[in-house]
Amino acid sequence: MRDYVIFTDSGCDLSPELLASWGVSHESLVFRFDGEEKEYQNGEMEIGAFYNKMREGGVAKTAAVNKETFVLAFRKFLEAEKDVLYIGFSSGLSTTYNSARLAAIELQEEFPDRKILTVDTLAASAGEGLLVYLAKEKKAEGASIEECAAYLESIRLNMCHWFTVDDLVYLKRGGRVSPTAAFFGNALGIKPVMHVDNEGHLVNVLKVRGRRTAITTMADKLGETALDIEHGKIYISHGDCLADAEYLASVLEEKFGCTVDLITDVGAVIGAHSGPGTLALFFLGNER
């Protein structure tokens, strides 16, 4: 079997160290704060400092990975006679995947004997990260690049994303909720319970009163739809609210006897749009 490398982007919200330990390469989306010239890659600013800056009123703007960056990154593997499987951030949330797709088309002409496959996960944060993990496991089992890509495409719409935010002002900035809804929602303690739909977009599903209710509602969604509660992988990501992430993990264990496999940070690029206090749950279910 021809050797291939799994490649992703920082939209997966997994640390570079963890990805490297899996043999997975990546490129980073970038961000900067309004009024500042410095541009950061995801992870270059300590995550607590990033969220504190947001709490103090800082507004972060993000940018996708461009085609030229992917061309340079993919080329070095192709020149080393390795094929490339890119597993990308949802095209419904970022142009990053399309940049990689265009880079693959360009490089295929330059390297006609190599394979460059791209998979749009239609996923975000640790939902994308969990698909990357499942891909590296599939590769370790001996799957070819085509088999691995087909596997991901067969399960990507089973990747459940359930999340809530603590302050609606950040979703208001991104046009996800209206200014009126954000004002009254915050005043009344209304918390949205959202997910990522089959097109890879954020969708508001429920509105509940209070943070703890939102967390238990998310846990209940796992109980309702998970394909394998006992053995299925479960990831949680959080925007500088580790105590809430640990509470969600304890609720899942108490209610369903399941163990969370990974708790990770919501990185700055996604956190710029969802804000501090974002809490998200990911698992494979019978539907999104």
Side-chain angles (χ1 to χ4, degrees), residues 151-202:
Y151 169 69
L152 291 174
E153 290 177 348
S154 74
I155 65 169
R156 63 183 175 177
L157 295 186
N158 298 103
M159 183 54 63
C160 298
H161 305 57
W162 289 101
F163 70 100
T164 190
V165 299
D166 200 36
D167 190 333
L168 292 166
V169 69
Y170 304 105
L171 294 180
K172 181 198 74 173
R173 287 177 186 169
R176 304 294 178 186
V177 299
S178 70
T180 301
F183 176 80
F184 285 106
N186 281 339
L188 298 173
I190 301 300
K191 305 298 180 184
V193 177
M194 309 178 75
H195 83 145
V196 174
D197 68 11
N198 286 355
E199 285 72 49
H201 301 116
L202 303 184

Side-chain angles (χ1 to χ4, degrees), residues 65-270:
V65 183
N66 60 41
K67 185 192 76 170
E68 290 72 24
T69 298
F70 278 124
V71 167
L72 290 173
F74 294 165
R75 180 181 281 120
K76 68 180 183 180
F77 293 108
L78 301 171
E79 289 176 341
E81 299 187 345
K82 291 185 178 182
D83 296 335
V84 176
L85 172 60
Y86 169 70
I87 303 169
F89 189 13
S90 172
S91 62
L93 297 172
S94 172
T95 60
T96 296
Y97 171 76
N98 195 50
S99 295
R101 183 184 65 82
L102 293 174
I105 292 171
E106 179 178 317
L107 287 166
Q108 196 67 74
E109 296 181 5
E110 185 178 345
F111 296 90
D113 295 329
R114 303 244 59 90
K115 297 174 183 177
I116 316 156
L117 303 185
T118 65
V119 176
D120 181 358
T121 64
L122 301 170
S125 190
E128 178 187 350
L130 183 46
L131 287 170
V132 171
Y133 168 81
L134 294 171
K136 74 97 176 174
E137 290 292 285
K138 200 71 174 176
K139 181 186 177 189
E141 293 170 4
S144 67
I145 188 172
E146 295 90 350
E147 290 168 339
C148 197
Y151 169 69
L152 291 174
E153 290 177 348
S154 74
I155 65 169
R156 63 183 175 177
L157 295 186
N158 298 103
M159 183 54 63
C160 298
H161 305 57
W162 289 101
F163 70 100
T164 190
V165 299
D166 200 36
D167 190 333
L168 292 166
V169 69
Y170 304 105
L171 294 180
K172 181 198 74 173
R173 287 177 186 169
R176 304 294 178 186
V177 299
S178 70
T180 301
F183 176 80
F184 285 106
N186 281 339
L188 298 173
I190 301 300
K191 305 298 180 184
V193 177
M194 309 178 75
H195 83 145
V196 174
D197 68 11
N198 286 355
E199 285 72 49
H201 301 116
L202 303 184
V203 179
N204 195 352
V205 179
L206 298 167
K207 297 176 183 178
V208 299
R209 182 70 63 86
R211 179 76 163 180
R212 286 296 172 100
T213 303
I215 292 173
T216 56
T217 299
M218 291 164 57
D220 288 341
K221 290 297 181 181
L222 181 141
E224 292 167 8
T225 64
L227 289 173
D228 187 350
I229 290 179
E230 186 175 357
H231 302 294
K233 293 291 180 182
I234 302 170
Y235 282 9
I236 291 173
S237 63
H238 69 94
D240 201 30
C241 55
L242 179 58
D244 285 342
E246 291 173 340
Y247 174 70
L248 173 56
S250 71
V251 171
L252 293 171
E253 182 174 4
E254 180 180 343
K255 281 194 167 191
F256 309 114
C258 52
T259 300
V260 171
D261 297 279
L262 179 70
I263 295 178
T264 187
D265 294 310
V266 174
V269 167
I270 292 177

